[in-house]
Amino acid sequence: MIYLQNILVTGGCGFVGTHLAKFYADQGHKVLVFDNLSRINIFGHYLKNSKYNWDYLKNYDNITLMNIDITNSSLLTKNLMQDIDIILHTAGQTAVTTSVTNPKNDFMINTVGTFNILEASRQYCTNPKIMFCSTNKVYGDNVNQVKVIEKEKTYVFEKQYENGIPEDMSIDNCGHTPYGCSKTSADIYVQDYAKTYGMNTAIFRMSCIYGERQFGVEDQGWIAWFTIATLLNKPITIYGNGKQVRDTLNVQDFVYAVDAFINTNKKIAGDVFNIGGGKNNTLSLLELLDLLKKFTNKTISPTFQDWRPSDQKVYISNIDKAERLLGWKPTINPEEGVKKLVSWVKDNKSVFFES
């Protein structure tokens, strides 16, 4: 029998947040969603209804949607927060390039917003479990010090890091970009609130999460963006040679990782986990294009431009710790996941403006 709980999902109308809200609503839990609906500024150029995910969640009687900006601490009242059992903090500014052009906004959302959620939960909640969506960008340019080997369509890490980047890689003395800085600061705050105040937190340093209901653009959500662009005949630009590699994780597997944390009986307060596809679920940009050609039967002719500053040729998460402590590992491989994403975009082409 499932013990029903009150779950808060910040950024709950975003890609990851929507999947979490749906998952727990389907189990019968009461889900409170905070979202400021800012993605109209990101996806309005090709998405007919920028409130698509908001409207999707409105179909659930046990989901309460609230237009709340977490950078405004006065909105996070005792009345809203006191009955919350679980906080899934997915709200964030997610694009590196956007952080470079507007670092203050990035800082406010990622660092101040996270601090506000921590303070509201400390003051008003009764020891909730808190999951924070951090990022692999906390490791910054230290990742670029790892030797990579070039192959026909990919780069790979040298043997020492063939299993990926571990959680104990240094986050110090390197460049991060403003996005990496804001997320690293928030990451440390979430760790420290467990140490200082005894709060039950976990930090998920996420790699490349993708899947259905993701609306990508060039600088965030690249798997979704390439898929949507291919099916809607929009131009694709590759920065670099396309051999850059990421470990990919289908959003359903991410949800299972979150659920593993929520349901574990192990003491994990303040712990850090790399959450990605790991060494067995990697894709380069060129390999993704090959999959898209296979599943769409379309000819794809990308434009190539110069490398972006500080772009990582390879990032692969070492996920051994999550497997060991949470009993979790990915179940959906990239080919299966991309095929499902292609099917979703085909079935939902009406939500997009076509070229």
Side-chain angles (χ1 to χ4, degrees), residues 17 27 30 43 90-91 96 102 118 160 186 234 253 312:
Q27 291 186 1
K30 290 183 179 180
F43 305 124
T90 76
V96 171
N102 194 345
L118 288 170
Q160 180 182 352
K234 294 181 180 293
D253 280 327
Q312 298 166 337

Side-chain angles (χ1 to χ4, degrees), residues 43-44 46-51 349-354:
F43 305 124
Y46 78 87
L47 188 62
K48 291 180 182 178
N49 177 13
S50 61
K51 293 176 64 179
K349 287 179 72 173
S350 63
V351 308
F352 302 101
F353 292 114
E354 297 204 41

Side-chain angles (χ1 to χ4, degrees), residues 17-43:
T18 304
H19 280 268
L20 288 169
K22 177 185 185 301
F23 178 80
Y24 287 107
D26 284 340
Q27 291 186 1
H29 300 286
K30 290 183 179 180
V31 179
L32 175 62
V33 164
F34 289 171
D35 202 286
N36 69 355
L37 300 178
S38 61
R39 56 194 54 76
I40 188 173
N41 302 317
I42 303 171
F43 305 124

Side-chain angles (χ1 to χ4, degrees), residues 151-339:
K151 297 196 172 184
E152 182 183 359
K153 291 192 175 182
T154 68
Y155 292 104
V156 296
F157 277 143
E158 63 179 311
K159 186 173 179 59
Q160 180 182 352
Y161 287 94
E162 63 183 355
N163 292 327
I165 301 298
E167 289 89 350
D168 60 2
M169 170 168 272
S170 175
I171 61 176
D172 297 324
N173 298 316
C174 66
H176 285 86
T177 74
Y179 170 73
C181 290
S182 66
K183 279 292 196 178
T184 300
S185 177
D187 185 310
I188 293 172
Y189 264 109
V190 179
Q191 292 180 54
D192 199 73
Y193 266 57
K195 305 294 189 297
T196 302
Y197 302 110
M199 294 172 64
N200 194 355
T201 68
I203 297 90
F204 279 14
R205 291 177 175 169
M206 297 159 61
S207 189
C208 178
I209 316 296
Y210 72 98
E212 298 91 325
R213 298 196 304 282
Q214 183 179 26
F215 305 107
V217 290
E218 273 192 347
D219 57 357
Q220 56 176 294
W222 62 278
I223 293 179
W225 169 243
F226 278 28
T227 303
I228 293 166
T230 297
L231 288 167
L232 271 60
N233 302 310
K234 294 181 180 293
I236 293 175
T237 302
I238 289 177
Y239 298 89
N241 59 15
K243 296 183 181 183
Q244 51 265 56
V245 166
R246 300 293 183 265
D247 62 316
T248 65
L249 184 69
N250 187 271
V251 67
Q252 195 61 59
D253 280 327
F254 175 79
V255 170
Y256 294 150
V258 173
D259 200 49
F261 161 64
I262 288 175
N263 289 300
T264 185
N265 293 320
K266 296 178 181 177
K267 185 174 176 57
I268 297 182
D271 222 334
V272 173
F273 297 92
N274 285 338
I275 301 293
K279 65 179 181 179
N280 295 323
N281 295 286
T282 62
L283 270 182
S284 72
L285 275 63
L286 297 179
E287 289 173 330
L288 173 60
L289 292 183
D290 286 343
L291 288 179
L292 291 174
K293 289 176 185 177
K294 175 180 178 180
F295 296 135
T296 66
N297 294 316
K298 282 179 169 285
T299 299
I300 305 171
S301 301
T303 298
F304 289 84
Q305 294 191 13
D306 290 340
W307 288 87
R308 285 174 169 163
S310 301
D311 194 9
Q312 298 166 337
K313 289 184 176 178
V314 183
Y315 182 83
I316 300 170
S317 304
N318 184 319
I319 57 175
D320 291 348
K321 184 177 179 181
E323 292 186 18
R324 185 176 69 254
L325 295 186
L326 299 179
W328 167 87
K329 62 181 179 180
T331 63
I332 300 172
N333 64 45
E335 182 159 351
E336 179 186 356
V338 171
K339 185 177 182 180

